[in-house]
Amino acid sequence: MSSDSRQAFSSIHQEMHGFLRRPSQYTILPAPLPEDAAAETNGYFYIDSPTQDVVAVMDACLQGLHDVPRAKEIFEGLRETRRGDRLLDARLYNHFLEAYLEMATNKDTVNRAMWLEDAWLLYNAMEEGNELVQPTANTYAIMLLAWLRFNPDSPDKVALSSTIVQDPMSLLRSIIHRQISPALVVSDRAFTTNEEATQAIKALSKAAVQMGLSSVVNELGLADSLGRQVDDPLEDVPEAIPVMKFKVGAQSLPDVEVKRREDGTVAELTTKEPPRQPEGDIPFNLDTLRRHLGQVILARRVLSEDVVLRQRLLEQSVYNVAVERMKRQAEVFDQLGLPKQGLHSTDLRIWMWHWHQKLQARIEAEIKNLEVEERVIGAARLKRKPKEETLLTPFLRLLKPEKLSLITILELMHLHGSGGVQDGMKTARALLAVGRAVESEHKAEMAKKNHLPLPTSTPARAGELNVFTNAGYRDLHVQRVAAQRYLEDGENWTSEWTQLVRVKLGSFLVDCLMDVATVQRSMKDPRTGEIITEEQPAFFHSYEYQRGHRLGVIKFNPAVAERMSKDPIAETLHPRHLPMLVKPKPWLSYNNGGYLYNRTWAMRFKESREQELYLRHASDAGRLELVFAGLDVLGSTPWQINRRVFDVVLQVWNSGERFCKIPPAIPDEPEPERPPNMEFDNKAKTIYLERQRAWQQAKAANHSDRCSINYKVEIARAPLILQIWQFLGDIIYLPHNVDFRGRAYPIPPHLNHIGDDLSRGLLLFGEAKPLGERGLRWLKIHLANLYGYDKASFDERVQFVHDHLDDIYDSAERPLEGRRWWTKADDPWQCLATCIELRAALESPDPTAYECALPVHQDGTCNGLQHYAALGGDAVGAAQVNLAAAERPSDVYTYVAQMVEEAIKRDLEEGNEFAKLLAGKISRKVVKQTVMTTVYGVTFIGARDQIDRQLKDRGDIPVEQCWLAASYIAKKVLASIGDLFKGAKEIQMWLNMCARLISKSIPQDRLVHSYTEQDSSSTSARKRQPRWKKEQMTSVVWTTPLGLPIVQPYRAVKRKQVMTALQTVFISDPNIPSTVNSQKQASAFPPNFIHSLDATHMMLTALECRAQGLTFASVHDSYWTHAGSIDQMNSIIRDTFIALHSSDVLKSLAQEFRERYADYKVPLVALRGTGFKRLNISADQLDVSPEDIKALKEGEEEDEEGTEKAADEPLLVGDEDDAELAAEAEAETQEEKPKKGRKRTVKKDEIEKRLAGKFVNLVDILPPLPEKGMFDVKAIKDSQYFFS
């Protein structure tokens, strides 16, 4: 097929090609400055921790009017020092206006005039433009309310002489001047009663009549009419007979037209017909007005309210539900006449109930003590600077003690076994998690307060218009911004908390829990037979060593740890860990979407302020519309629990036996026997100790896996038994967000389709669709793939299923009692689910008409290599990973495994001991991960560890020999790959070199500082660094074809020492800027860039599948849909891949680097360690002398000779799951070890002195793009095994 004919048969919008080839709009921000540097722009973008602490304290003081004078004091200081800062936005000003008005109205009526004066002064400053903050609809609503309550004709009139009070006419004049819809003002959340809203409508209407503004009079009349519409009296009551339920249809509402400005905000509401008069005397209802306005402004489709209410109940009452269930458990024991076992009980829920009762009382008492202490030091506080404020009372008062107690208990239970700590957790992680949970719950409560209508689907969804056209994209942006502004205007302002606040709050609560939580354990004295009972702490603090660092840990009492793997643990699950009952809230901004109330972010960043800043600016600029739309597509896919598979899982679980990746309740592997000659035979002793260590690790892993599966079983059980967590339906949804590379993940962590084989086997699509003839064939191919027969042709896979139909029927009908054929599959639980579906289809009257809900997968062949081959036009690599058409699928893993086997045979002839041990045991599974990650830059050490795990999983190689055997195989694998991926290696080297140069560059405006200032922070001359090294703050940043900015977060961690009651913990502070790690930036860039490409391909496919009406889900490079839709999805997968790689991705990346880093310079002295010879740069290009070039080359040789990397580098942000905790280190600093090559220090110093102060333009030394090969990416249209 020719290229032209392939293009003609494209299954996607042609506009997608144009969209991907358009000139990209980049989000470009200044690099952060070193910690000891200061600049106004840096302070605007990167807020320091002390300021953030002050703002958090101010926020906590405002909530509930806890301490408004103190908040005002902080606010006035910030207005003077940080005027115009993004911290001081309109919502914060409105928050203070609201607080001042509430103080005057209720809390401090004695000083009413003072508070009103403060409110009008602040408003007038906003109106005059002195504060660089513009009033919003909420501002005018608050001030209109202030006038209504205290105007000269009101009962509580207050005369103010020292400030200007604006009447409704003045306010209306300002409202119109700022193009704000009056209807939004009168429906604002500031009005809490129908009476006040009615008065506001009358006051503004009267002012509009006096000003001759007929359009405003009509709009306010429309608002009054909408507020008097007949509402459903059963709106909030679950209804069993929907026919009897009266709903106000769209035809009963006026035809309202919304006029928006270019930024999506609402400017005016109009109607072509006069406002309808309600029948009879229907009172005005503010909630009705808000709901109807929300429907009009958001243009949303109203879903079944009872389902939305259940989701709202789920998120609102999670802690209350947990309390009630634990309380009910204790009451049942009493009603049955059983003894009040209390702590004697072995039921986890009863223990948790008693802990909660004691902890609640303890927290209440401790808060009172803290308040007394604050009053005592109150005078001293006034003399201190605001940045020193770290008192906890304002934060502890944000939630009731009952809720603080439950949060603490549930968070600790949830962290069980995390961070590699058996039956416990890292102390720093626990403290931060509890503090963060308190913050999240407080913000969720703020979001719940105002009862705004939530958009349940964006109006401009993919499928309703072509989002790749300019008009479609713009409409998507305008609708999203309108919904975002509408919801934000209705929310209270809240501040982000710093790590310091979180850890101090978490320390207070965890310390209280550890003091009061106990269990009673009993055992029989083996000598006397007497029962001995002892009360023990439920949690205790200890220390462990990990990677050479001494870490503080919180451990569970063994009795509690044992129950965690056995008891129902639904009480330890927060809604953010659960699927949703309704479609997730559409992503309206970078931090608003997913769950209805629990605040989540569109990106998972490791406390990286730079990533957060880029994401926010890109979102505000309207560059992330397709990313948000893609996440909405993934989150709106409905799921249900596979009841047939779940019943089998539950039966196996309750049996406590080891079965199909479900670990046994009691570890069944015998403890290694102690050899009798151990004391005299060192080899026997070494073997025994190694086996004992492996047995202990297996035992711990068994317990951890058991707990993990317990979570999955509980969540899967929830929708089925109709009681747990108020799940009254069987359809669930999984909200998604992305990691910093753009890869999408479900937010609920325990049960989702990205999980293990068991999780996937438990899930079906929420909607079933007919198979069709092709769908039935694909269902059979899917079964063969899951069984492990996935490298044959499609016809052979179908025949494989036909040959095993008897086994398939037996598996479906008698999964545990029969021959258990399905248990031998690579993915047994998914295999069982497919056996059940295939049998049901074949037994139906018409198999092609059978409606199947099972997801069927299409997986890429080593997808990273597929992208590399397409980028480089590498024909050889393309053939290896199925980009080129072939009769049979290529399998690069099997190919490499066979090469390794051949090498082993040669060693076997020479009598090699490892060859004897490993001959015939090198399967594709052993080498797969190493081959897959080789092109991502895996090292020998990484390859050895990967293969070591695979050899241990085989079970036929002695554990004590696996490590040395893995070293032997790793060398063979890396040698066997050879030139197989030559094209990919060239691109990888180009990406690596670009990243290395970028990370060593310095912005032009910092050049003077980089060589005129000396680093005097270290008193030791040996440790002193040249200043230019401290100025290397530049991260590698690039933009995906969908507009998502990717910022590599790899920097040296700045640790902050925090004293807590438990221990001294070291936490990372993301607000403290630190230098980038050049080596990590360079080595991580190739895999991160490729991952950003596969994420883009997935998003494009998701959007196009939604546009064509297909159900879609993905696990990175594995795409899922219904069996009957596979052919259609396959066409989309290929066409989106072609569209992506036809846009010349590498050329676009190189162009972005040249624009983004146009004003960046690289110190010549820094080029010594960047492979200067490989740059192939002449003296003329650098505009330096030949002597300088010679010095650079000599310097490189010296670095290669003298540099030795430390084995345990400092923990880098982004390296580990718990990187934000910055693993605690021992307090004492180890003395720096002298490096090799010290004898040449004199010469090295001479070179640095010669090159000091000399810089070269970064863009002038970026390496040229590798030459592209001849492979035409359009050829994948003919490759049936590209994704299969």
Side-chain angles (χ1 to χ4, degrees):
M1 186 182 292
S2 68
S3 297
D4 293 338
S5 60
R6 290 191 196 106
Q7 190 64 34
F9 286 105
S10 178
S11 64
I12 62 175
H13 288 113
Q14 290 306 306
E15 291 83 357
M16 183 186 292
H17 290 269
F19 179 87
L20 294 173
R21 289 172 177 167
R22 77 201 189 288
S24 298
Q25 293 182 314
Y26 312 128
T27 302
I28 300 179
L29 300 173
L33 299 182
E35 184 179 1
D36 57 356
E40 186 175 342
T41 54
N42 199 68
Y44 176 79
F45 288 108
Y46 302 97
I47 298 169
D48 58 276
S49 290
T51 301
Q52 192 68 57
D53 278 334
V54 166
V55 174
V57 171
M58 179 179 68
D59 177 23
C61 290
L62 277 180
Q63 301 300 335
L65 307 179
H66 175 72
D67 192 346
V68 178
R70 183 177 175 189
K72 177 187 172 185
E73 176 190 340
I74 298 173
F75 181 53
E76 295 300 332
L78 290 173
R79 286 176 65 192
E80 287 194 14
T81 59
R82 301 186 71 97
R83 179 167 300 182
D85 198 299
R86 67 179 179 84
L87 270 176
L88 308 181
D89 63 6
R91 288 199 299 162
L92 172 58
Y93 278 71
N94 293 343
H95 201 6
F96 272 94
L97 290 175
E98 202 167 13
Y100 294 161
L101 179 58
E102 193 60 28
M103 292 292 287
T105 304
N106 296 314
K107 190 166 183 181
D108 189 12
T109 56
V110 175
N111 296 307
R112 175 173 290 167
M114 180 194 75
W115 291 115
L116 287 175
E117 185 174 335
D118 287 340
W120 284 109
L121 282 171
L122 184 58
Y123 164 75
N124 289 330
M126 294 173 67
E127 197 66 72
E128 293 165 5
N130 298 334
E131 304 290 315
L132 303 179
V133 174
Q134 293 189 352
T136 65
N138 183 230
T139 310
Y140 292 115
I142 295 168
M143 301 321 295
L144 181 58
L145 192 58
W147 187 87
L148 290 172
R149 290 179 182 176
F150 304 110
N151 69 74
D153 298 326
S154 67
D156 299 319
K157 61 181 179 181
V158 176
L160 300 177
S161 58
S162 57
T163 187
I164 300 174
V165 176
Q166 308 287 349
D167 61 12
M169 188 177 294
S170 300
L171 291 172
L172 181 59
R173 188 177 292 111
S174 298
I175 291 169
I176 294 171
H177 173 70
R178 298 194 183 278
Q179 297 184 333
I180 295 174
S181 169
L184 294 183
V185 175
V186 298
S187 64
D188 190 83
R189 63 176 175 82
F191 297 104
T192 56
T193 66
N194 298 328
E195 292 75 16
E196 288 182 334
T198 305
Q199 291 175 21
I201 292 175
K202 290 179 179 178
L204 289 182
S205 297
K206 182 179 178 181
V209 170
Q210 293 174 347
M211 297 168 66
L213 301 174
S214 58
S215 61
V216 174
V217 175
N218 289 336
E219 182 174 341
L220 292 169
L222 172 63
D224 185 67
S225 174
L226 289 174
R228 297 180 189 275
Q229 292 294 325
V230 178
D231 248 359
D232 177 11
L234 303 179
E235 181 74 30
D236 295 334
V237 180
E239 178 58 67
I241 311 175
V243 177
M244 297 177 61
K245 191 170 183 178
F246 173 72
K247 272 287 192 183
V248 179
Q251 68 276 7
S252 66
L253 294 175
D255 185 13
V256 182
E257 180 183 353
V258 181
K259 294 184 179 179
R260 293 190 176 96
R261 290 183 288 278
E262 289 186 0
D263 63 357
T265 55
V266 178
E268 187 180 356
L269 300 173
T270 59
T271 179
K272 296 179 181 179
E273 53 187 295
R276 299 177 184 176
Q277 296 299 319
E279 299 179 5
D281 185 16
I282 302 174
F284 177 84
N285 189 297
L286 182 59
D287 288 338
T288 304
L289 170 62
R290 288 171 178 160
R291 184 160 51 251
H292 289 162
L293 279 181
Q295 292 177 24
V296 170
I297 294 170
L298 304 177
R300 71 190 184 100
R301 179 172 60 87
V302 182
L303 292 180
S304 172
E305 277 298 315
D306 57 343
V307 181
V308 177
L309 286 172
R310 288 202 298 273
Q311 178 64 30
R312 180 175 292 141
L313 177 64
L314 174 65
E315 294 190 33
Q316 284 182 339
S317 60
V318 52
Y319 296 111
N320 299 331
V321 170
V323 171
E324 289 303 318
R325 286 183 59 80
M326 291 186 289
K327 182 179 179 182
R328 177 63 179 163
Q329 183 85 5
E331 290 175 350
V332 167
F333 275 90
D334 292 340
Q335 292 172 1
L336 295 177
L338 298 176
K340 293 184 179 181
Q341 295 178 321
L343 298 176
H344 292 282
S345 168
T346 58
D347 189 282
L348 184 62
R349 286 170 293 190
I350 294 181
W351 283 348
M352 291 170 66
W353 169 244
H354 286 280
W355 300 343
H356 168 62
Q357 286 180 307
K358 292 191 286 186
L359 180 57
Q360 181 181 346
R362 174 63 176 269
I363 290 173
E364 201 161 356
E366 289 293 335
I367 291 177
K368 290 179 180 178
N369 292 338
L370 278 177
E371 286 179 332
V372 172
E373 291 179 14
E374 283 194 24
R375 284 196 292 270
V376 170
I377 64 173
R381 178 180 63 80
L382 295 175
K383 300 177 183 179
R384 289 158 55 190
K385 295 181 181 179
K387 69 177 183 179
E388 297 175 359
E389 300 289 346
T390 54
L391 299 178
L392 293 179
T393 306
F395 299 98
L396 291 168
R397 284 299 186 192
L398 294 175
L399 300 177
K400 295 179 180 179
E402 179 183 40
K403 191 162 283 191
L404 291 173
S405 170
L406 259 294
I407 288 173
T408 308
I409 294 172
L410 296 188
E411 283 299 320
L412 255 63
M413 302 300 277
H414 174 66
L415 287 172
H416 171 257
S418 64
V421 180
Q422 182 182 354
D423 292 336
M425 70 215 73
K426 295 176 181 177
T427 304
R429 167 175 280 193
L431 304 187
L432 282 170
V434 172
R436 191 177 286 112
V438 173
E439 179 186 15
S440 298
E441 182 63 19
H442 160 59
K443 291 181 178 178
E445 287 195 349
M446 291 297 99
K448 299 167 195 170
K449 277 180 61 175
N450 303 302
H451 305 292
L452 288 174
L454 293 169
T456 51
S457 63
T458 50
R461 293 300 293 268
E464 298 175 18
L465 51 81
N466 186 352
V467 296
F468 296 103
T469 63
N470 289 335
Y473 190 94
R474 185 169 56 250
D475 194 26
L476 198 64
H477 172 66
V478 167
Q479 298 284 9
R480 179 185 67 79
V481 170
Q484 174 194 356
R485 295 281 174 84
Y486 181 75
L487 290 186
E488 281 187 352
D489 287 345
E491 291 180 354
N492 282 322
W493 175 89
T494 57
S495 164
E496 291 294 322
W497 296 2
T498 62
Q499 297 282 64
L500 179 63
V501 170
R502 291 169 184 153
V503 81
K504 282 187 171 292
L505 196 61
S507 172
F508 172 85
L509 295 171
V510 171
D511 184 47
C512 289
L513 174 63
M514 294 179 68
D515 273 354
V516 301
T518 58
V519 294
Q520 286 191 346
R521 300 181 66 192
S522 300
M523 66 173 294
K524 181 184 289 187
D525 190 317
R527 294 174 300 172
T528 64
E530 179 184 359
I531 300 296
I532 302 174
T533 301
E534 181 181 52
E535 187 169 335
Q536 299 178 349
F539 310 92
F540 61 94
H541 182 264
S542 182
Y543 288 93
E544 288 184 358
Y545 281 88
Q546 284 190 11
R547 290 182 294 179
H549 293 298
R550 184 169 177 255
L551 302 178
V553 296
I554 296 174
K555 303 279 279 187
F556 283 51
N557 186 292
V560 180
E562 181 182 4
R563 300 316 307 174
M564 282 292 291
S565 65
K566 296 180 180 179
D567 284 4
I569 51 176
E571 283 74 21
T572 70
L573 294 172
H574 191 279
R576 68 173 178 271
H577 306 141
L578 294 172
M580 295 182 66
L581 291 168
V582 298
K583 287 185 180 180
K585 181 167 66 174
W587 284 99
L588 304 180
S589 68
Y590 71 103
N591 64 349
N592 192 348
Y595 288 109
L596 300 188
Y597 298 115
N598 291 307
R599 179 59 61 92
T600 48
W601 299 77
M603 179 180 283
R604 306 176 179 199
F605 32 76
K606 298 291 187 182
E607 300 292 348
S608 169
R609 285 287 177 260
E610 198 174 8
Q611 287 178 342
E612 177 187 344
L613 194 63
Y614 269 88
L615 186 70
R616 178 165 59 84
H617 277 263
S619 175
D620 293 345
R623 294 171 185 151
L624 301 182
E625 305 309 317
L626 296 187
V627 176
F628 292 150
L631 289 175
D632 292 341
V633 169
L634 297 173
S636 63
T637 298
W639 300 89
Q640 60 181 316
I641 301 300
N642 189 329
R643 182 60 185 264
R644 290 286 305 277
V645 174
F646 174 78
D647 288 341
V648 178
V649 172
L650 198 59
Q651 188 176 347
V652 172
W653 172 263
N654 291 334
S655 73
E657 298 176 0
R658 180 187 296 276
F659 187 89
C660 260
K661 301 182 181 180
I662 293 182
I666 301 174
D668 53 3
E669 294 184 7
E671 184 174 359
E673 294 184 6
R674 186 184 180 94
N677 61 338
M678 178 175 160
E679 300 299 330
F680 312 102
D681 189 336
N682 286 335
K683 183 177 180 180
K685 181 179 180 180
T686 301
I687 292 174
Y688 168 73
L689 292 176
E690 179 64 29
R691 291 182 177 178
Q692 181 71 14
R693 185 174 67 87
W695 180 79
Q696 290 285 359
Q697 290 176 343
K699 184 179 177 182
N702 182 90
H703 178 74
S704 177
D705 292 343
R706 187 85 182 166
C707 293
S708 175
I709 293 173
N710 199 359
Y711 276 112
K712 293 180 176 65
V713 172
E714 285 296 323
I715 296 172
R717 195 161 65 100
L720 298 173
I721 64 173
L722 306 183
Q723 273 95 25
I724 299 179
W725 299 111
Q726 307 296 316
F727 277 178
L728 303 181
D730 58 354
I731 300 298
I732 58 178
Y733 297 87
L734 302 171
H736 282 62
N737 59 6
V738 298
D739 67 7
F740 78 90
R741 302 164 301 185
R743 282 189 143 193
Y745 293 85
I747 299 174
H750 298 298
L751 179 64
N752 60 59
H753 60 291
I754 279 187
D756 57 12
D757 171 53
L758 175 60
S759 296
R760 299 181 188 187
L762 284 169
L763 291 172
L764 296 171
F765 283 138
E767 179 186 5
K769 292 186 178 181
L771 282 175
E773 185 175 343
R774 291 288 297 174
L776 182 61
R777 173 180 168 86
W778 277 113
L779 188 62
K780 296 173 182 177
I781 293 171
H782 180 58
L783 178 54
N785 291 343
L786 293 171
Y787 201 82
Y789 192 73
D790 56 345
K791 298 309 168 189
S793 68
F794 288 145
D795 289 339
E796 290 170 340
R797 297 182 214 183
V798 172
Q799 188 59 45
F800 171 84
V801 171
H802 290 166
D803 294 342
H804 290 87
L805 275 180
D806 186 51
D807 292 322
I808 293 167
Y809 270 64
D810 179 72
S811 298
E813 295 169 355
R814 302 188 303 154
L816 298 179
E817 300 81 10
R819 297 188 295 274
R820 298 185 177 183
W821 174 81
W822 62 278
T823 64
K824 302 177 181 65
D826 284 356
D827 298 301
W829 293 108
Q830 293 177 84
C831 179
L832 174 61
T834 311
C835 288
I836 293 170
E837 284 295 307
L838 182 58
R839 176 199 171 277
L842 295 176
E843 288 297 305
S844 65
D846 181 3
T848 61
Y850 175 76
E851 295 202 343
C852 176
L854 185 80
V856 175
H857 315 166
Q858 294 290 280
D859 298 347
T861 305
C862 199
N863 189 238
L865 290 174
Q866 289 181 323
H867 282 285
Y868 269 122
L871 287 171
D874 180 7
V876 176
Q880 289 290 340
V881 290
N882 293 316
L883 263 64
E887 292 298 323
R888 301 181 62 80
S890 298
D891 183 16
V892 65
Y893 309 125
T894 300
Y895 179 77
V896 172
Q898 290 172 349
M899 292 178 68
V900 174
E901 277 287 3
E902 290 297 323
I904 289 176
K905 287 180 181 178
R906 290 193 293 270
D907 288 350
L908 191 61
E909 295 173 359
E910 299 175 3
N912 186 290
E913 292 297 323
F914 287 111
K916 295 178 183 177
L917 178 67
L918 296 167
K921 297 177 182 178
I922 308 302
S923 64
R924 71 184 298 273
K925 188 175 181 180
V926 171
V927 304
K928 178 178 179 179
Q929 188 179 13
T930 303
V931 174
M932 188 165 36
T933 55
T934 296
V935 76
Y936 293 149
V938 69
T939 62
F940 168 75
I941 294 174
R944 181 192 61 200
D945 292 343
Q946 293 167 351
I947 295 171
D948 180 50
R949 288 192 295 270
Q950 296 299 330
L951 294 181
K952 287 178 179 176
D953 287 344
R954 284 184 61 91
D956 56 358
I957 298 173
V959 174
E960 65 275 7
Q961 294 188 354
C962 283
W963 190 82
L964 292 174
S967 300
Y968 171 80
I969 298 176
K971 293 176 184 177
K972 298 291 184 186
V973 171
L974 296 176
S976 298
I977 292 173
D979 295 331
L980 199 56
F981 305 127
K982 183 179 179 181
K985 282 287 186 184
E986 290 178 355
I987 296 175
Q988 181 186 5
M989 289 175 61
W990 181 82
L991 294 170
N992 183 289
M993 182 59 69
C994 287
R996 192 175 294 275
L997 292 171
I998 290 169
S999 61
K1000 290 184 176 293
S1001 65
I1002 300 171
Q1004 184 168 342
D1005 57 2
R1006 296 296 300 174
L1007 288 186
V1008 176
H1009 305 278
S1010 68
Y1011 63 84
T1012 58
E1013 298 178 19
Q1014 294 297 321
D1015 180 11
S1016 58
S1017 59
S1018 174
T1019 56
S1020 170
R1022 181 166 58 87
K1023 294 182 181 180
R1024 188 173 300 156
Q1025 288 185 333
R1027 177 68 195 186
W1028 61 266
K1029 288 190 175 181
K1030 292 192 68 174
E1031 293 288 343
Q1032 290 181 337
M1033 306 289 291
T1034 310
S1035 297
V1036 179
V1037 183
W1038 71 98
T1039 307
T1040 72
L1042 292 184
L1044 181 67
I1046 310 295
V1047 184
Q1048 293 201 146
Y1050 312 112
R1051 295 179 177 272
V1053 169
K1054 293 286 187 178
R1055 296 191 179 102
K1056 178 180 287 187
Q1057 183 176 1
V1058 181
M1059 304 294 293
T1060 71
L1062 294 174
Q1063 67 174 75
T1064 297
V1065 296
F1066 293 84
I1067 60 172
S1068 67
D1069 187 347
N1071 290 321
I1072 300 178
S1074 57
T1075 55
V1076 296
N1077 183 284
S1078 296
Q1079 183 183 7
K1080 186 65 176 176
Q1081 290 276 344
S1083 63
F1085 182 39
N1088 286 342
F1089 177 71
I1090 295 300
H1091 285 320
S1092 73
L1093 282 186
D1094 71 47
T1096 301
H1097 180 217
M1098 187 277 295
M1099 287 284 190
L1100 292 171
T1101 305
L1103 289 169
E1104 197 61 38
C1105 282
R1106 170 56 57 88
Q1108 298 187 25
L1110 273 62
T1111 301
F1112 180 82
S1114 81
V1115 182
H1116 305 319
D1117 60 350
S1118 176
Y1119 299 168
W1120 301 10
T1121 191
H1122 289 90
S1125 305
I1126 286 292
D1127 287 328
Q1128 189 176 356
M1129 186 181 74
N1130 265 333
S1131 296
I1132 294 172
I1133 292 172
R1134 284 155 176 77
D1135 286 327
T1136 50
F1137 191 90
I1138 291 170
L1140 174 62
H1141 284 283
S1142 296
S1143 62
D1144 207 339
V1145 178
L1146 284 183
K1147 184 178 179 181
S1148 298
L1149 177 66
Q1151 180 61 32
E1152 178 177 357
F1153 282 165
R1154 295 185 181 281
E1155 293 184 28
R1156 182 179 295 279
Y1157 301 109
D1159 296 327
Y1160 283 68
K1161 310 285 185 180
V1162 180
L1164 276 183
V1165 68
L1167 289 178
R1168 293 174 304 150
T1170 60
F1172 181 74
K1173 291 179 180 177
R1174 292 202 303 270
L1175 287 173
N1176 196 24
I1177 299 175
S1178 66
D1180 293 336
Q1181 286 177 281
L1182 292 181
D1183 194 23
V1184 296
S1185 66
E1187 289 76 12
D1188 289 337
I1189 295 292
K1190 183 179 179 182
L1192 284 172
K1193 292 180 178 179
E1194 291 178 355
E1196 182 191 42
E1197 291 169 0
E1198 179 177 339
D1199 275 359
E1200 289 174 353
E1201 176 187 349
T1203 301
E1204 181 181 336
K1205 297 295 180 185
D1208 51 346
E1209 294 181 350
L1211 187 67
L1212 302 172
V1213 173
D1215 271 359
E1216 304 291 341
D1217 288 341
D1218 58 338
E1220 74 270 15
L1221 306 178
E1224 301 164 29
E1226 297 187 38
E1228 58 274 3
T1229 304
Q1230 296 182 355
E1231 188 171 330
E1232 185 177 342
K1233 296 179 181 179
K1235 295 181 179 180
K1236 295 179 183 178
R1238 289 289 304 281
K1239 59 185 179 182
R1240 303 188 65 178
T1241 300
V1242 175
K1243 186 174 181 181
K1244 181 177 178 181
D1245 290 343
E1246 290 176 357
I1247 294 173
E1248 289 188 354
K1249 186 176 181 180
R1250 176 182 183 85
L1251 299 177
K1254 295 184 179 181
F1255 298 87
V1256 60
N1257 292 327
L1258 169 62
V1259 296
D1260 292 341
I1261 60 173
L1262 287 175
L1265 281 169
E1267 186 176 347
K1268 195 166 185 176
M1270 300 301 294
F1271 176 73
D1272 182 3
V1273 71
K1274 296 185 180 68
I1276 69 169
K1277 291 282 285 186
D1278 301 329
S1279 173
Q1280 59 180 329
Y1281 299 110
F1282 168 57
F1283 267 65
S1284 62

